[in-house]
Structures are given as C-alpha cells and as structure tokens.
Amino acid sequence: MVKKPLEITLIGILTLFILLPFIPLVIWSFTKHWPWPLLMPENWTIESWTYLFSISGRAFEGILNSFIVAAIALLGNIVLGIPAARALAQNEFIGKNIVFSILLAPLFIPYTISIIGMHDFALRLDFLNDYVSTAIAHILVTLPYFVATIWFQYRLMGKKLNEAASILGANEWKIFLWIEFPLLVPSFLLGSFLVLVVSYSQYLPTWIMSGGTLLTLPLVIFPYANSGNSSIVSAYSLLFFAPILLLLIIYFLLLRINNRKNTNESR
Amino acid sequence: MSNGLNEDGLKMWEKNRLRVQLNSYKGLLGILPALLFMLFFFIGGSFHALCLSIGSSHQISLLGEEDLLWAYKELMNPSFFQSVAVSVGIAAAVAVLSGIIGLLTAIFLATKSARWKWLHIIFQLPIGIPHLLAAYLLIQVFMQSGWYSRIAYYFGWIDKLEEFPVLVHDEWGIGVLLAYMWKEVPFIVLLIYPFILKLISDWRDQARALGSTFSQTVRWVIIPILLPMWVGGMWVVFAFTLGAYEIPALIASTSFRSIPVEAFHEYSQFGLERQPIAIAMNVVLAVISLLVGSLLIYMQMDWYKRGRRVW
Amino acid sequence: MHLDQVTIKIHQDSIINSLSLSIHPGEIFVLMGPSGSGKTTLLKGIAGLLSLTSGRISWENGIGTTGLVFQEPRLFPHLTVLENIAFGLRVQGVATKERRLQAGNFLKSLQLENLGNRYPHQLSGGQQQRVSLGRALILNPDLLLLDEPFASLDTSLREDLISWLYQLQRRLGFSILWVTHYIDEALSIADRIGIIFEGKLQQIGNPSEIFQQPDSEKIAHFLSLPNRFSKQQWQNWFQRDLPLPQTLNRGWIDSNHLQIIDEESQLPSNGIKEGLYSIISGFIMKVKPNREGYTLTIQSNSETLEVSTIGWSKVPALQESIKIKIMFEHIYWYSE
C-alpha cells in the first residue's frame, strides 16, 4: 500500500516528461521574441508559418520529397517483406535462424557503414536517381520492422487455414488473396505505418545516399535546428507532425473499417 | 485392369506428392528477394565500404609505399579510444535505463484497466517523432533559458538563468541521455507490452494459487520468461544509439566526442580523402555491436542448452 | 471448510448464487455440472483468486490453506521440476538449501525421483500434471482444489493418475474439492458428489444416492440416465393408476433392469407371487455392442427405450419385434 503513491508519482513524472515538451513547441511557432523568464511570450506572430511555405522555406518541397521516398520504400517493403515473412513463418528449414538474423540485422548492427558502401555502388550506377537510391537505403532500414510485424501475424495464423483451403483446391494465389491477406490486414497496416514513419524520419541515410542534395523534411529542418532559430524550427516540427498525425488517423480508420467488416462477416 | 487402376492411382499419388513438394519449395522462394536484398545491400554494402576504407590506394605515404590500413592506424590513439568509451557508455546507459523504465512502465500499464487507455496513447506519441525533432523538443525545455527553467523561476526555485543546471550541451551527456530516453522508453513499452499482458494473464492466477504476491510473480515468473525478448529489445536500442547521429549532433557539447558525429563530420566535410576514416569509425561501431550481440546470443544458446524453453 | 451463503459476481453477473457447502476433513467432494455452471468460479473463489461478493468461508482450524490445480499443468517453463515444486516454499521464504531438500524428498511420493532437473517441456503430459499436483501438495493444503485435472489426458493414463492421487490422499488425509465432468471419475473416488447448475447446488449426496435417486429431471438429464418417462407414460404402460405420492411424477429404470422375454414365457406364472409388472412390445432400432452384451434401442409406439442384454451369443437383429418386461419395483421415482 505504501508503494502505490510512489508508483503513481513515477508514472506521472514520466508522463509529464513525454508530454510537456510539446507545449513550448507550439508557443514558439507563434512568436519571434520570447525572453527568459517569461512563461508566455508577450507578442504573437505567424511570421514563421508564412516563411515556411515561402520559396525559401521549402516546406512543400520537403514534404513532397519525403512522401515520394516513403512511398517507394513502402512499395519495396511490401514486395520484399510479405513473401519473406510468409516463408519464414510457414516453413522449417536448415539455416532458418541465419536467414532470419540476416533479414533483421539492421536492427541489431549500426547500418551507417553499409549505407556508405551503397552510396559508392550508386555512384557507379549513376542512372539510379536520388529518389530510388535513397528509397533503397530506407528499405534497408525499415524492412526488419516490416518483416517482423508480418511474420508475427503469420505465426499467430498458423498453417491450418492454408491446409484447409489447399484441400478444397485453392491455389497459392487464391489462398493468399482470399484467406491470408484479409487476416493479415491489421499487421499489414501497422507494418506500413512503421515503414512510413521510420522512412519519414531518416536523416543520415538520406543525406549519405543523396550526398545531401535530396531535401526531405529532416534535411530541410536540420540546419535550422542547429542554428537555434527556435521559432522556425518549432513551426517546422509541427509541420512534421502533421503527416504523422494524418497517417495515425488513417491507420486507425482503416483498422476500424477492417474490424467492422470482420465482425459483420462473423454475424 | 485392376493393375492399371493401381498404376493410375500411384501416378496420381506421385503427382500429388510432387505438387506438395514443389509448393513447399515455392514457399521458400519467397525469402529469396528479401534475402538477396539484404545480402547485397547490407552485407555487400558493408563489405564494399570496408574495402573502400582499406584499399584506398590514392593515399600513399611519404615513403612512397602504399599503406592499406592507414585509416585504422590513424584511429589508434587515446582520443579515439575515449570516443569509443563515451559512445559505448552512453549507448549502454540508454539501453539499460530505457529497458528498466520501459519494463516497469509496461507492467504498470498492463495492470491497469481500460480507464488508463489515454496513458497508452501518450506513451506511443514519441514513436512517431523522429530523433531529430525529439532532440529539438528536449533542447527547447531543458536548456538554461528553456521552459523548465522558466517554470522553476516562476515557482521561485531559481533567481537567475545560470542557477538552472546545464543539461543541454553539457559535459556528461545528460541531455543526450534524456533525449534518447524520451524516444526509447516508449519503444521498449511498445515492444514488450503485448507480451507482458499475455504473461500476466497466463501466470498470475497460477502463481497466486501458490501464495505468491504480484511483485514475486513479476520477479520470479514474468521477467525470467520475458528475458530474451527484453534483452533483445535493449540490444536494438543499444545498436541504434551507438550508430545514431541526430541527437548527439544537436544536444551534445563539442567536447562530448560521439563517434557517429565525428564520423559524419569527417565524411561530409573533408571530401573523399577522409572518407576511409569515417568508414573505419563506423566499422568499429558495427564490430562492437556485433560483439555484444554475439555475447548475448551465446548466453541464450547456453541457456537453451541447459534445457530451458521459454517461447 | 464451510461456505456460507457465498455469492460471486463478475461484471454484475451472479456466477455463484448464495451457495452453502461444507467439506469435511479428509473427504473427497466431487463437483459436477454443465459448462458455465460456475464450477471454476467457485474454485477460484475458495482459492482467493476471486473475491466473494457476499457470504463467507470458514475453516475448522481457523485459517485454512488451499492448493489449486488446473486442467493444463501450467508449469513455469523457465524452472526445473524441482524449482517448480519448490516455488510455493520460495514464496514462504524457505531458504534455498532447505527447500531443495524438501522438494527433493517430495519427488519420491510423486514418483518423479529422477526428473528433478528436467524442464517442463521435457516431461510427458502425465508427468507434468503430477508435478503440478506436487507443486500444490508440498504446501500441505487443508483443501486441494482440482479443476478437471486429468481431462486432457487419455483414458488409461487418467485412470492411473486417479488411483495414484486417491492413494496419496488417503495417506496424507487432506480433503479435495474435485471438479470433473467424467461420471466414472466421480464414481470411483467421490465420498460425496454435488451437482451444480447456474451457480446453485442442486443436490448433494453420496455417489449411489446421486446416481439412483436424482432430485429432479434436470439432474437426471445431466447424468444422462436412460429410460426416463413421465408418470403418465408409465401409467399408460402399466394400464392402471400407480400408487405414488403426488410429487414423484417421473421415473427412470436402468437398461439392465429391463428384461427381454420370449413369446412363450410371456404368460404369467400364477404360482409364484411376482411384483407388479408390465409387458410392452416394440422393435429394435439400433444395436450397440458393449462389454457385457448389447445395448438395444427399442421403439415402442412413440417412445424409445434403452435395454441391455447380457451375453454375446445371440446377436439381436434390427427391426426384430420383441417384448420387454418392466418390473415396477425397479423404477426409481423422482420429481420433475
């Protein structure tokens, strides 16, 4: 009983630690001048927001570039990740652990070195454009998350449904489309969300692969963050959250639609 | 007649068996694209970079002979070793601290009812926020002229800006640690929460029937069963922190020599000449993570060899 | 142990309804009931895993201890057999050395002497369940609560474990509250049996009472007693008013007590005084062999009866017409 208040206090501190930093961020984006020790600034302005969307602010360019790279990365993840997760979950074979560890390796070993190597490859194959080569680097970073998520769902599913469908005469594609994919939807959505968010936040891989020329949002923001122009960085940060929030909403909406469909079917 | 039927049947059987075998191979084929991708880009990329760092023939020593390992030789100095110690130290501290806090938080959340759902959402917020911005968010509140010092002033705890402790660009990397914790504690919670939930529902009744209190159940049953998963999560955090650039680049003081920052500095500022140095630094990081990982895997194998099965 | 007006609610649903029950020291009390009748909830309530909404539990000796064993062994996968058995001692704060010694000694009575250092996944199902029982028994509980402990094991293993546990219980003298849905299991070990429906104890009695004299049609149906008919139907067969109290309006007769009679011997032998009987005719619908002979399903007008024959020599034929003799004295009467 003595432990309870302590427990609540610690969780409270942790919650504030996570939540509080967002408050001054919002405030800063609406002011230019906010001297210590004022808790709230005296003058408010939207200058930073107008700058963001001006030519030199490059916000649109950043969002667009980030979006293109993330979309290619997601596509690559789907093409590479789903068959791999399926094979790993449904088959037992010699060396499976090794194959699995190779697929998950970028989670456990810092990957900067291989991206430097990939950049050198890409230089030699100079027909690859920056979007594609950057997206490849992002696939390398995100594939472990995607494979692990999908694999976990496949494991939960087991092989029984497949066997049943196979006995009833369905071929591989039909099994996948009619049986597996509908059951895979929740983890597919979660995996895709992770891929998009992780790709969206990459700084170093993007910089290295494009030689610092492909201005995704993090590359646009970084110099400002380093310069200490609080107002502009804050506005950028909030802009950065917008697509993530949007993705989160889309994710929950799709998940809900999917759940509703399933419960309707089961009725 | 009956013989023919038998043969037909046999053929049919043979065909079916072949189809099943073929299907199982076809299933296995699915791994190939991803495996080749990883082999080519991750392992191939690393290997290629390694070659770049060793075989850079344009770097010729004064004596006119090629010195293949010059980049690595240049790293053999106390200041680099110190950087290694700093980087490994901060990564280990982040991994262990966020592992412990994340575990405690996950257990706390798992024992609470649906009324605490909002807390889950708060704890998942930092997952979607990149390290770059996490660093910035924390600078914003923890620096001496930041929001927390203003709050401290408001409550009368401090009178001057200088009285607020130096937490950003500090010597000890406290700011770096805080920023990483902000990102990684929620990551650990996200990773282990579903498992904790399942373990508690599986074992709480049984352990209680044997008289054990909840804290004993957690210490003697839940944590040991969760151990491989939990340590794996900490390894991911360790490896990531070891190689990540954004947070130390923004929060650490210049005297706090984090390897990723130095390597990227070499890589982006001094052109191709110094590229082997940048690669060599990253090689050291990768090797350290590999060593730590191998140790963990060895420990787990040893554990399994003694007969334990957990999952 | 005495339960006094115990009620347990889960999410506003009453699972156990003011139930009272006493279990005597050294007794095996078997609890039977359909699924969802609250058996597991009651066990968890007694074990303290669920709190009682109202009512109370009291013990002969002040505070009693319980052990609970579930259908699945639920052994801790990361602990050896020995450590699993010693878990409860560890909770009580017994020193490592001492509890290893105690658990090691206890292994003998579990017939698991050489398996102390194995991990659960290395044991067979029966061995796992023995460890699970041992883990509860080493704490010397006053009352052992068993929730269908052997239901997932195959028949012969189940029988072995039941007789092993029975002997252990008679030796150590703890009492058991045993939930099962196997009638044979209940019959072979129970001192008393209780039937529970919808959170209420319907009938308590020794095994013969429960099986021969059910209190209600619901219980008779649950025990799948054969040849249950209303008093009206029996009266139709006997073609007279049966001299019974008003409340006893149903009766059942065991299939062994129904006699198939030959056409010739059908005439009543006037000399010997026989009890009241009736003869009904019908034809054979189904023949099911059993160990003693055959169990026949007989259709007579709109009713079906179950009749057992003894001996393998004569195989009854389907659709064969036969006559059955029913002795009034063999019918057990009960109320609706």
Side-chain angles (χ1 to χ4, degrees):
Chain A
M1 279 297 110
V2 186
K3 233 186 88 196
K4 287 286 164 193
L6 181 73
E7 210 175 62
I8 301 276
T9 314
L10 288 178
I11 288 290
I13 290 173
L14 196 58
T15 310
L16 290 179
F17 174 67
I18 287 172
L19 216 50
L20 281 185
F22 289 100
I23 297 171
L25 192 76
V26 177
I27 300 173
W28 259 118
S29 76
F30 289 103
T31 185
K32 279 269 159 214
H33 186 63
W34 185 15
W36 197 85
L38 295 178
L39 264 187
M40 287 286 158
E42 283 159 335
N43 302 306
W44 302 83
T45 166
I46 55 163
E47 245 176 73
S48 298
W49 288 98
T50 46
Y51 171 79
L52 229 63
F53 292 99
S54 69
I55 308 282
S56 49
R58 293 186 141 171
F60 278 128
E61 188 189 344
I63 291 180
L64 187 67
N65 286 338
S66 283
F67 176 76
I68 293 172
V69 173
I72 302 174
L74 178 59
L75 195 72
N77 265 285
I78 293 170
V79 172
L80 296 173
I82 293 182
R86 182 174 195 263
L88 282 170
Q90 297 185 344
N91 298 286
E92 292 302 326
F93 53 92
I94 303 157
K96 179 174 162 175
N97 284 338
I98 295 170
V99 172
F100 212 164
S101 356
I102 290 174
L103 289 188
L104 297 187
L107 277 184
F108 298 102
I109 296 162
Y111 45 74
T112 314
I113 167 178
S114 57
I115 289 174
I116 294 177
M118 280 164 66
H119 174 58
D120 201 69
F121 281 148
L123 284 182
R124 291 171 196 198
L125 308 167
D126 59 357
F127 58 89
L128 275 180
N129 77 12
D130 277 353
Y131 288 116
V132 175
S133 55
T134 305
I136 289 176
H138 285 198
I139 293 172
L140 182 95
V141 178
T142 52
L143 193 60
Y145 293 99
F146 194 77
V147 169
T149 317
I150 304 281
W151 171 84
F152 189 68
Q153 187 78 32
Y154 262 119
R155 288 299 293 204
L156 290 184
M157 247 190 266
K159 255 188 119 165
K160 285 180 187 159
L161 289 176
N162 277 10
E163 285 166 2
S166 171
I167 287 162
L168 295 173
N171 65 26
E172 289 276 300
W173 264 108
K174 283 179 184 159
I175 292 176
F176 178 74
L177 281 181
W178 295 350
I179 317 265
E180 292 177 3
F181 192 73
L183 291 170
L184 217 54
V185 167
S187 73
F188 176 76
L189 290 177
L190 178 65
S192 303
F193 176 72
L194 281 176
V195 167
L196 292 176
V197 166
V198 173
S199 156
Y200 195 61
S201 18
Q202 289 306 315
Y203 176 76
L204 216 53
T206 312
W207 201 102
I208 295 174
M209 281 313 277
S210 68
T213 58
L214 182 65
L215 290 180
T216 58
L217 263 188
L219 266 77
V220 176
I221 298 174
F222 198 89
Y224 291 105
N226 230 355
S227 75
N229 187 335
S230 304
S231 184
I232 288 186
V233 189
S234 300
Y236 265 123
S237 305
L238 290 172
L239 178 73
F240 201 104
F241 299 152
I244 292 173
L245 227 58
L246 194 70
L247 273 177
L248 202 64
I249 291 167
I250 293 173
Y251 166 66
F252 277 116
L253 271 177
L254 287 176
L255 202 63
R256 250 191 76 195
I257 291 169
N258 178 60
N259 286 346
R260 192 169 306 154
K261 214 179 87 195
N262 282 350
T263 46
N264 280 348
E265 273 167 8
S266 69
R267 261 169 211 162
Chain B
M1 180 74 193
S2 77
N3 203 10
L5 197 79
N6 252 345
E7 262 173 26
D8 275 1
L10 215 65
K11 257 184 208 158
M12 185 77 178
W13 181 82
E14 190 72 21
K15 237 191 206 162
N16 252 337
R17 201 186 56 143
L18 226 78
R19 211 187 66 192
V20 168
Q21 276 187 346
L22 211 71
N23 269 343
S24 73
Y25 286 127
K26 231 167 43 191
L28 279 185
L29 278 184
I31 313 176
L32 270 187
L35 184 64
L36 289 179
F37 180 90
M38 277 298 171
L39 283 177
F40 186 71
F41 288 112
F42 187 70
I43 297 180
S46 304
F47 189 71
H48 183 65
L50 195 66
C51 293
L52 285 180
S53 74
I54 292 170
S56 53
S57 50
H58 53 83
Q59 184 75 26
I60 290 162
S61 73
L62 289 172
L63 295 168
E65 60 195 42
E66 280 185 34
D67 187 358
L68 291 181
L69 289 170
W70 70 270
Y72 294 88
K73 282 181 186 154
E74 196 175 315
L75 288 184
M76 296 291 245
N77 65 64
S79 122
F80 180 73
F81 290 142
Q82 201 189 338
S83 291
V84 171
V86 165
S87 295
V88 171
I90 200 92
V94 168
V96 171
L97 277 176
S98 46
I100 291 168
I101 297 176
L103 177 73
L104 294 177
T105 311
I107 290 171
F108 178 86
L109 289 177
T111 52
K112 293 293 175 242
S113 60
R115 274 191 301 137
W116 293 71
K117 191 97 189 161
W118 53 274
L119 207 57
H120 283 250
I121 297 171
I122 289 173
F123 277 107
Q124 279 169 26
L125 274 180
I127 305 277
I129 289 159
H131 284 79
L132 166 60
L133 292 185
Y136 187 72
L137 274 172
L138 292 209
I139 292 176
Q140 209 43 253
V141 287
F142 277 113
M143 65 183 180
Q144 277 189 309
S145 62
W147 207 53
Y148 290 161
S149 103
R150 293 163 198 241
I151 291 176
Y153 177 84
Y154 184 81
F155 282 113
W157 298 331
I158 59 170
D159 297 322
K160 280 188 305 213
L161 191 139
E162 288 76 23
E163 288 173 28
F164 194 76
V166 185
L167 297 174
V168 172
H169 305 304
D170 62 303
E171 261 177 73
W172 298 98
I174 294 170
V176 178
L177 194 66
L178 285 173
Y180 273 121
M181 301 284 278
W182 194 83
K183 275 292 288 176
E184 309 307 344
V185 169
F187 171 77
I188 295 278
V189 172
L190 183 79
L191 183 73
I192 64 178
Y193 174 75
F195 295 97
I196 297 236
L197 209 58
K198 186 176 180 327
L199 287 176
I200 287 181
S201 85
D202 282 358
W203 297 109
R204 177 150 65 174
D205 275 0
Q206 180 59 68
R208 257 179 74 186
L210 295 172
S212 120
T213 63
F214 184 66
S215 106
Q216 285 171 331
T217 308
V218 168
R219 275 179 294 142
W220 296 344
V221 181
I222 291 176
I223 291 178
I225 298 179
L226 190 71
L227 203 63
M229 185 85 211
W230 185 43
V231 173
M234 290 201 276
W235 181 15
V236 171
V237 170
F238 175 79
F240 182 86
T241 310
L242 197 60
Y245 165 77
E246 294 99 315
I247 286 181
L250 286 173
I251 301 193
S253 77
T254 40
S255 65
F256 186 85
R257 295 153 57 92
S258 157
I259 296 182
V261 177
E262 294 200 344
F264 187 63
H265 193 66
E266 297 279 0
Y267 184 82
S268 59
Q269 306 288 312
F270 300 115
L272 275 178
E273 298 286 295
R274 301 289 292 172
Q275 195 177 316
I277 288 277
I279 296 171
M281 286 175 167
N282 277 301
V283 168
V284 172
L285 293 184
V287 168
I288 291 169
S289 193
L290 207 60
L291 283 179
V292 172
S294 311
L295 186 71
L296 292 178
I297 289 173
Y298 173 80
M299 276 159 62
Q300 194 183 7
M301 300 275 253
D302 190 51
W303 211 52
Y304 280 166
K305 220 185 286 167
R306 282 185 282 144
R308 297 190 199 208
R309 279 289 132 61
V310 172
W311 292 101
Chain C
M1 183 211 62
H2 310 284
L3 297 179
D4 190 20
Q5 304 281 316
V6 167
T7 297
I8 299 177
K9 287 185 181 177
I10 299 177
H11 305 309
Q12 308 306 321
D13 292 336
S14 286
I15 312 292
I16 298 295
N17 272 320
S18 74
L19 182 146
S20 298
L21 168 68
S22 292
I23 293 173
H24 313 308
E27 178 187 41
I28 298 183
F29 188 95
V30 169
L31 193 62
M32 299 185 77
S35 46
S37 56
K39 293 167 294 186
T40 302
T41 307
L42 182 63
L43 291 196
K44 285 188 174 178
I46 297 171
L49 299 182
L50 289 173
S51 53
L52 310 184
T53 314
S54 65
R56 58 190 205 93
I57 302 176
S58 54
W59 301 81
E60 281 81 4
N61 54 353
I63 305 160
T65 53
T66 58
L68 175 57
V69 175
F70 297 96
Q71 181 178 339
E72 331 80 76
R74 299 202 195 179
L75 299 180
F76 302 119
H78 60 294
L79 300 179
T80 62
V81 168
L82 202 70
E83 287 164 339
N84 261 289
I85 289 174
F87 188 88
L89 299 175
R90 189 176 174 194
V91 168
Q92 292 176 352
V94 178
T96 316
K97 221 173 166 183
E98 171 63 19
R99 66 170 188 257
R100 287 192 72 86
L101 197 72
Q102 278 191 41
N105 289 335
F106 202 72
L107 279 177
K108 276 190 210 87
S109 51
L110 298 172
Q111 297 164 14
L112 293 168
E113 285 98 330
N114 304 316
L115 303 178
N117 291 322
R118 297 268 183 98
Y119 283 90
H121 71 98
Q122 296 166 324
L123 301 182
S124 70
Q127 289 169 336
Q128 287 186 14
Q129 196 56 285
R130 272 214 293 271
V131 175
S132 183
L133 280 163
R135 191 169 61 169
L137 286 175
I138 198 171
L139 300 174
N140 286 320
D142 299 314
L143 176 64
L144 181 64
L145 305 162
L146 302 175
D147 192 358
E148 312 209 6
F150 307 129
S152 52
L153 305 175
D154 57 46
T155 313
S156 61
L157 190 58
R158 219 180 81 221
E159 282 167 0
D160 288 350
L161 280 176
I162 288 169
S163 66
W164 166 78
L165 182 59
Y166 186 77
Q167 281 160 20
L168 200 69
Q169 189 265 350
R170 292 290 117 139
R171 207 174 73 226
L172 300 178
F174 51 91
S175 41
I176 301 182
L177 175 52
W178 187 321
V179 167
T180 182
H181 63 263
Y182 289 106
I183 290 167
D184 61 326
E185 201 168 299
L187 285 175
S188 59
I189 36 95
D191 292 317
R192 284 193 302 156
I193 295 178
I195 307 279
I196 186 173
F197 281 137
E198 287 153 5
K200 280 202 166 104
L201 271 175
Q202 306 287 329
Q203 188 179 358
I204 300 177
N206 60 40
S208 58
E209 274 165 14
I210 295 281
F211 275 90
Q212 290 161 7
Q213 298 152 29
D215 268 356
S216 69
E217 167 64 9
K218 229 169 24 171
I219 296 172
H221 175 77
F222 170 70
L223 297 171
S224 40
L225 298 179
N227 306 324
R228 309 187 311 272
F229 298 105
S230 66
K231 185 175 170 188
Q232 189 56 49
Q233 180 62 46
W234 289 116
Q235 281 175 345
N236 286 346
W237 276 326
F238 282 88
Q239 290 175 341
R240 58 184 291 179
D241 262 354
L242 296 169
L244 292 165
Q246 270 295 307
T247 48
L248 301 180
N249 51 12
R250 290 189 73 86
W252 77 279
I253 187 165
D254 192 78
S255 46
N256 285 314
H257 285 143
L258 290 175
Q259 225 179 312
I260 293 176
I261 49 173
D262 301 330
E263 297 289 333
E264 309 84 59
S265 65
Q266 182 194 129
L267 297 166
S269 47
N270 292 326
I272 307 149
K273 185 158 167 58
E274 265 193 302
L276 180 60
Y277 68 90
S278 159
I279 288 173
I280 59 175
S281 54
F283 58 91
I284 301 174
M285 296 269 295
K286 209 170 93 187
V287 178
K288 192 184 105 187
N290 61 32
R291 283 187 199 148
E292 291 86 24
Y294 297 92
T295 301
L296 311 177
T297 305
I298 309 291
Q299 175 100 33
S300 168
N301 296 328
S302 58
E303 302 291 341
T304 51
L305 294 112
E306 206 174 89
V307 180
S308 293
T309 66
I310 293 175
W312 290 93
S313 51
K314 184 170 178 285
V315 182
L318 282 176
Q319 300 300 335
E320 188 183 336
S321 275
I322 54 165
K323 290 193 184 303
I324 310 163
K325 184 176 175 186
I326 304 170
M327 301 291 292
F328 177 71
E329 61 181 17
H330 285 146
I331 303 175
Y332 293 95
W333 296 96
Y334 58 95
S335 25
E336 182 66 54

